[in-house]
Amino acid sequence: MTQIPFVDLKLQYLSIRNEIDTAIANVIRDTAFVNGKYVKLFEENFSAAHNAKHCIGVGNGTDAISIALKALDIGVGDEVITAANSFIATSEAITTAGARVVFVDCLPDTYNIDPSLIEGKITSLTKAIIPVHLYGQPADMDSIMEIAKKHGLYVLEDSAQSHIAEYNSENEGWGKIGVFGDVSTFSFYPGKNLGAYGDAGAIVTNNDKVAKKARMFANHGRVSKYDHEFEGVNSRMDGIQGAILDIKLKYLAGWVEKRREVANHYDKLLKDVPEIILPFVNTKSKHVYHLYVIRTPQRVALKTFLGEKGVSTGVHYPIALPNLSAYKYLEHSPDDFPNASKFQNEYLSLPIFPELTLEQIEYTVKMIKEFFKK
Ligand SMILES: *Cc1c(COP(=O)(O)O)cnc(C)c1O
């Protein structure tokens, strides 16, 4: 029977196996296990890929957010605004930094944070806004930056799902995400568009002071080996991950193009299925399709049907952040976030990865059409 995985990380490894195996062997040969020259090389190339001045490799994408907040001097007593529709890492890292999470509902088209609702959540304690470039599509940075400037707030772009995505800002024109705000954070979790072979993350910024503090905070607040200016954490990138990421970075643009082709095929083949809502792409952004998310009120039944036909799908995310037990203490009701609370029951993520074949796409579409014909 046909089996279509949601992602296939092994296929990608096999396509670059020799380079990867050699890189891993070199790290071991040079005993460059934590930080070290391979991480440094990757940091240089990754910041260049985003036209940014600094990149600091850290342990994972969740730490990247909390460390970046610490580098902005945000902590106990502060409030940070973020999107109701994201993975828990975004809000969790705000709490880890010591600050209070404030959620804002999502837009009905891109599902990114709704800028028109941000000002209503700003108080005298608000210090920053964290938009998430969700599923690979940039958030509305022009509107967010305008609000941030007006109220003197920092902006941290959670770019975990959006490596090298592009945005067309009114002032600066087209550019890679990550440098529109004050600082941005990335995840290299294996399933992300640029994935390591374990956990890894990065902080990217043009601000020298923030870069310096973030690098120190991630490495025990060190000035030198045993001279610590303040207490930080231990969250550094492994040499093996840095070496692997540096190789994969060369292929990233090509892989993103493949993801766009997959998305275009789905768009074309599914446009005449009135029961589903397809991903909306803003003309101001170049989507990198970490996920291809459709919506239907029949999500549960469709997911089950596709599963029976051998097509693996995902849900991103089945419970909007304010509705999670973890945030009961904020005492929200689902009605406070009408879009996020409704859409959580309708999202369905279809298989998408660079190596997905046209045949697999056509099979998936055929099964979706078969479901709605029943
Ligand atoms: C994956 C992800 C993170 C966290 O990254 P990890 O490397 O898994 O810690 C943060 N934010 C978003 C939106 C993510 O998708």
Side-chain angles (χ1 to χ4, degrees):
M1 195 184 107
T2 307
Q3 288 291 343
I4 302 178
F6 184 62
V7 284
D8 189 334
L9 301 179
K10 189 161 175 194
L11 263 183
Q12 190 176 75
Y13 163 65
L14 293 175
S15 73
I16 50 173
R17 184 181 193 159
N18 287 343
E19 270 183 288
I20 294 282
D21 291 358
T22 306
I24 293 172
N26 288 347
V27 174
I28 298 168
R29 179 199 63 203
D30 299 339
T31 63
F33 296 126
V34 177
N35 280 334
K37 67 177 182 183
Y38 296 102
V39 170
K40 187 159 183 289
L41 200 60
F42 171 66
E43 287 174 341
E44 286 167 10
N45 290 329
F46 193 71
S47 54
H50 290 86
N51 297 313
K53 222 166 141 187
H54 306 281
C55 170
I56 299 111
V58 296
N60 57 70
T62 312
D63 282 359
I65 301 169
S66 58
I67 293 166
L69 287 172
K70 284 295 186 188
L72 294 170
D73 287 321
I74 292 169
V76 178
D78 299 330
E79 291 180 359
V80 176
I81 289 171
T82 195
N85 185 33
S86 182
F87 177 55
I88 193 172
T90 316
S91 45
E92 192 178 48
I94 295 170
T95 310
T96 302
R100 186 174 170 90
V101 182
V102 177
F103 290 115
V104 166
D105 203 3
C106 65
L107 288 163
D109 52 11
T110 62
Y111 315 128
N112 275 321
I113 191 168
D114 184 344
S116 74
L117 300 175
I118 292 176
E119 281 195 296
K121 300 283 179 108
I122 294 174
T123 72
S124 58
L125 302 176
T126 309
K127 290 281 159 24
I129 307 168
I130 306 187
V132 180
H133 301 311
L134 198 70
Y135 307 150
Q137 171 154 235
D140 180 357
M141 290 306 292
D142 279 336
S143 306
I144 293 163
M145 291 312 294
E146 198 182 308
I147 296 163
K149 273 198 193 108
K150 186 172 153 199
H151 296 272
L153 306 175
Y154 290 117
V155 173
L156 186 162
E157 299 170 61
D158 181 346
S159 312
Q161 305 187 355
S162 305
H163 321 76
I164 70 167
E166 288 168 71
Y167 179 75
N168 188 6
S169 106
E170 271 149 38
N171 299 326
E172 297 154 64
W174 281 102
K176 299 276 166 46
I177 50 94
V179 289
F180 292 99
D182 298 281
V183 58
S184 68
T185 59
F186 291 85
S187 165
F188 306 114
Y189 178 76
K192 296 284 156 83
N193 284 14
L194 179 60
Y197 288 176
D199 278 314
I203 297 163
V204 165
T205 182
N206 280 329
N207 183 315
D208 299 344
K209 235 179 94 185
V210 170
K212 184 170 177 230
K213 179 132 189 234
R215 192 175 286 286
M216 286 175 71
F217 196 88
N219 193 12
H220 302 292
R222 282 206 156 102
V223 180
S224 61
K225 189 154 188 181
Y226 295 116
D227 184 3
H228 307 267
E229 195 172 307
F230 49 81
E231 287 180 327
V233 294
N234 175 4
S235 183
R236 300 167 301 208
M237 188 183 280
D238 285 350
I240 285 178
Q241 305 309 340
I244 291 167
L245 288 168
D246 200 40
I247 286 172
K248 292 182 75 175
L249 181 58
K250 291 185 294 183
Y251 297 96
L252 181 60
W255 287 334
V256 165
E257 276 317 310
K258 288 268 166 50
R259 285 177 180 274
R260 288 180 178 141
E261 281 169 26
V262 171
N264 283 342
H265 285 308
Y266 277 136
D267 284 346
K268 246 183 264 155
L269 299 170
L270 288 169
K271 71 172 188 307
D272 54 351
V273 183
E275 292 91 345
I276 58 177
I277 296 167
L278 299 179
F280 169 83
V281 183
N282 196 306
T283 52
K284 287 178 78 174
S285 56
K286 287 188 188 154
H287 203 312
V288 294
Y289 293 101
H290 172 54
L291 295 167
Y292 187 92
V293 178
I294 63 170
R295 260 175 56 213
T296 166
Q298 299 178 69
R299 194 264 308 289
V300 175
L302 177 58
K303 188 174 196 329
T304 305
F305 180 82
L306 289 175
E308 286 163 6
K309 300 294 178 185
V311 179
S312 302
T313 54
V315 176
H316 301 87
Y317 295 90
I319 307 174
L321 297 177
N323 300 333
L324 288 170
S325 306
Y327 295 106
K328 246 193 206 129
Y329 71 92
L330 292 174
E331 299 182 343
H332 285 306
S333 103
D335 303 337
D336 297 340
F337 306 90
N339 285 342
S341 298
K342 174 171 185 270
F343 302 158
Q344 67 180 23
N345 302 315
E346 302 181 349
Y347 295 128
L348 186 68
S349 307
L350 302 183
I352 189 163
F353 51 92
E355 299 80 10
L356 193 70
T357 65
L358 183 56
E359 206 184 356
Q360 290 174 311
I361 295 166
E362 284 171 344
Y363 176 83
T364 300
V365 168
K366 196 171 140 210
M367 291 306 124
I368 292 171
K369 289 184 173 171
E370 202 173 298
F371 171 81
F372 285 110
K373 249 185 255 140
K374 282 198 305 177

Short mmCIF file of all heavy atoms in Angstrom, two decimals, residues 50-51 53 61 79 89 135-136 141 154 208 231 262 273 292 313 320 338 348 351 361:
data_model
loop_
_atom_site.label_atom_id
_atom_site.label_comp_id
_atom_site.label_asym_id
_atom_site.label_seq_id
_atom_site.Cartn_x
_atom_site.Cartn_y
_atom_site.Cartn_z
N HIS A 50 21.40 35.92 6.19
CA HIS A 50 20.30 36.81 6.58
C HIS A 50 20.74 38.28 6.55
O HIS A 50 20.04 39.14 7.10
CB HIS A 50 19.78 36.43 7.97
CG HIS A 50 19.04 35.12 7.94
ND1 HIS A 50 19.69 33.92 8.08
CD2 HIS A 50 17.73 34.82 7.75
CE1 HIS A 50 18.79 32.93 7.98
NE2 HIS A 50 17.61 33.45 7.77
N ASN A 51 21.87 38.54 5.95
CA ASN A 51 22.42 39.91 5.89
C ASN A 51 22.48 40.54 7.27
O ASN A 51 22.17 41.71 7.45
CB ASN A 51 21.59 40.78 4.95
CG ASN A 51 21.65 40.27 3.54
OD1 ASN A 51 22.72 39.96 3.03
ND2 ASN A 51 20.49 40.13 2.91
N LYS A 53 24.65 41.08 11.09
CA LYS A 53 26.02 41.26 11.57
C LYS A 53 26.47 40.11 12.48
O LYS A 53 27.62 39.70 12.43
CB LYS A 53 26.06 42.57 12.36
CG LYS A 53 27.27 43.42 12.11
CD LYS A 53 27.06 44.82 12.66
CE LYS A 53 28.35 45.31 13.29
NZ LYS A 53 28.16 46.59 13.99
N GLY A 61 16.27 26.19 19.85
CA GLY A 61 15.51 27.38 19.49
C GLY A 61 14.73 27.98 20.64
O GLY A 61 14.42 29.17 20.62
N GLU A 79 6.29 42.44 30.83
CA GLU A 79 5.33 41.70 30.01
C GLU A 79 5.83 41.62 28.57
O GLU A 79 6.42 42.59 28.06
CB GLU A 79 3.96 42.40 30.03
CG GLU A 79 3.26 42.32 31.38
CD GLU A 79 1.91 43.02 31.41
OE1 GLU A 79 1.50 43.59 30.38
OE2 GLU A 79 1.28 42.99 32.48
N ALA A 89 6.99 26.69 22.69
CA ALA A 89 8.35 27.20 22.94
C ALA A 89 8.38 28.72 23.02
O ALA A 89 9.11 29.29 23.83
CB ALA A 89 9.29 26.72 21.84
N TYR A 135 4.68 28.92 10.15
CA TYR A 135 4.62 27.96 9.03
C TYR A 135 5.62 28.31 7.92
O TYR A 135 5.67 27.63 6.89
CB TYR A 135 3.22 27.90 8.39
CG TYR A 135 2.06 27.66 9.33
CD1 TYR A 135 0.80 28.18 9.03
CD2 TYR A 135 2.20 26.91 10.49
CE1 TYR A 135 -0.29 27.95 9.87
CE2 TYR A 135 1.13 26.70 11.34
CZ TYR A 135 -0.12 27.21 11.02
OH TYR A 135 -1.19 27.00 11.85
N GLY A 136 6.41 29.39 8.10
CA GLY A 136 7.36 29.79 7.06
C GLY A 136 6.99 31.09 6.38
O GLY A 136 7.66 31.51 5.43
N MET A 141 5.50 42.66 9.51
CA MET A 141 6.54 43.38 10.26
C MET A 141 6.37 44.90 10.19
O MET A 141 6.69 45.59 11.16
CB MET A 141 7.93 42.97 9.76
CG MET A 141 8.32 41.55 10.13
SD MET A 141 8.18 41.19 11.90
CE MET A 141 9.50 42.22 12.57
N TYR A 154 10.81 46.56 22.25
CA TYR A 154 11.68 45.73 21.42
C TYR A 154 10.84 44.75 20.61
O TYR A 154 9.74 44.38 21.02
CB TYR A 154 12.61 44.89 22.30
CG TYR A 154 13.67 45.69 23.02
CD1 TYR A 154 13.70 45.72 24.42
CD2 TYR A 154 14.66 46.37 22.32
CE1 TYR A 154 14.68 46.43 25.09
CE2 TYR A 154 15.65 47.08 22.99
CZ TYR A 154 15.65 47.11 24.38
OH TYR A 154 16.62 47.81 25.03
N ASP A 208 25.32 45.20 18.31
CA ASP A 208 26.56 44.71 18.92
C ASP A 208 26.39 44.37 20.40
O ASP A 208 26.90 43.36 20.88
CB ASP A 208 27.68 45.76 18.79
CG ASP A 208 28.01 46.09 17.34
OD1 ASP A 208 27.60 45.31 16.44
OD2 ASP A 208 28.66 47.13 17.09
N GLU A 231 25.66 35.67 36.13
CA GLU A 231 25.23 34.28 35.96
C GLU A 231 24.43 34.16 34.68
O GLU A 231 23.53 34.95 34.44
CB GLU A 231 24.36 33.83 37.13
CG GLU A 231 25.13 33.61 38.41
CD GLU A 231 24.20 33.16 39.52
OE1 GLU A 231 23.02 33.59 39.55
OE2 GLU A 231 24.65 32.38 40.37
N VAL A 262 6.35 22.11 -4.30
CA VAL A 262 5.35 21.22 -3.70
C VAL A 262 4.09 22.02 -3.39
O VAL A 262 2.97 21.62 -3.74
CB VAL A 262 5.90 20.55 -2.41
CG1 VAL A 262 4.79 19.80 -1.68
CG2 VAL A 262 7.07 19.62 -2.73
N VAL A 273 -11.42 22.38 -4.76
CA VAL A 273 -12.08 21.65 -3.68
C VAL A 273 -12.66 22.70 -2.72
O VAL A 273 -11.94 23.26 -1.89
CB VAL A 273 -11.09 20.72 -2.91
CG1 VAL A 273 -11.83 19.92 -1.84
CG2 VAL A 273 -10.37 19.79 -3.88
N TYR A 292 2.59 23.15 5.15
CA TYR A 292 1.51 23.49 4.21
C TYR A 292 0.22 23.16 4.94
O TYR A 292 -0.16 22.00 5.09
CB TYR A 292 1.65 22.67 2.92
CG TYR A 292 0.65 23.09 1.85
CD1 TYR A 292 0.99 24.07 0.90
CD2 TYR A 292 -0.63 22.54 1.80
CE1 TYR A 292 0.08 24.47 -0.06
CE2 TYR A 292 -1.54 22.94 0.83
CZ TYR A 292 -1.18 23.90 -0.09
OH TYR A 292 -2.08 24.30 -1.05
N THR A 313 -0.41 13.01 8.12
CA THR A 313 -0.61 14.45 8.21
C THR A 313 -0.31 14.91 9.63
O THR A 313 -0.11 14.08 10.52
CB THR A 313 -2.06 14.83 7.86
OG1 THR A 313 -2.93 14.06 8.70
CG2 THR A 313 -2.37 14.54 6.39
N ALA A 320 -4.71 26.07 20.77
CA ALA A 320 -4.06 27.38 20.75
C ALA A 320 -3.44 27.63 22.13
O ALA A 320 -3.97 27.18 23.15
CB ALA A 320 -5.07 28.46 20.40
N PRO A 338 -10.99 34.45 19.39
CA PRO A 338 -11.96 33.75 18.54
C PRO A 338 -11.34 33.05 17.33
O PRO A 338 -11.73 31.92 17.02
CB PRO A 338 -12.93 34.86 18.12
CG PRO A 338 -12.34 36.15 18.55
CD PRO A 338 -11.33 35.86 19.62
N LEU A 348 -5.04 21.43 9.18
CA LEU A 348 -4.48 20.12 8.82
C LEU A 348 -3.23 20.38 7.97
O LEU A 348 -3.28 21.06 6.95
CB LEU A 348 -5.48 19.28 8.02
CG LEU A 348 -5.00 17.85 7.73
CD1 LEU A 348 -4.91 17.01 9.01
CD2 LEU A 348 -5.92 17.16 6.73
N PRO A 351 1.66 16.54 3.95
CA PRO A 351 3.09 16.22 3.82
C PRO A 351 3.80 17.27 2.97
O PRO A 351 3.29 17.64 1.90
CB PRO A 351 3.09 14.86 3.10
CG PRO A 351 1.75 14.27 3.38
CD PRO A 351 0.80 15.43 3.48
N ILE A 361 2.30 13.76 -4.29
CA ILE A 361 1.39 14.91 -4.15
C ILE A 361 0.05 14.57 -4.80
O ILE A 361 -1.02 14.80 -4.22
CB ILE A 361 2.02 16.16 -4.81
CG1 ILE A 361 3.30 16.58 -4.08
CG2 ILE A 361 1.01 17.32 -4.83
CD1 ILE A 361 4.16 17.57 -4.83
#
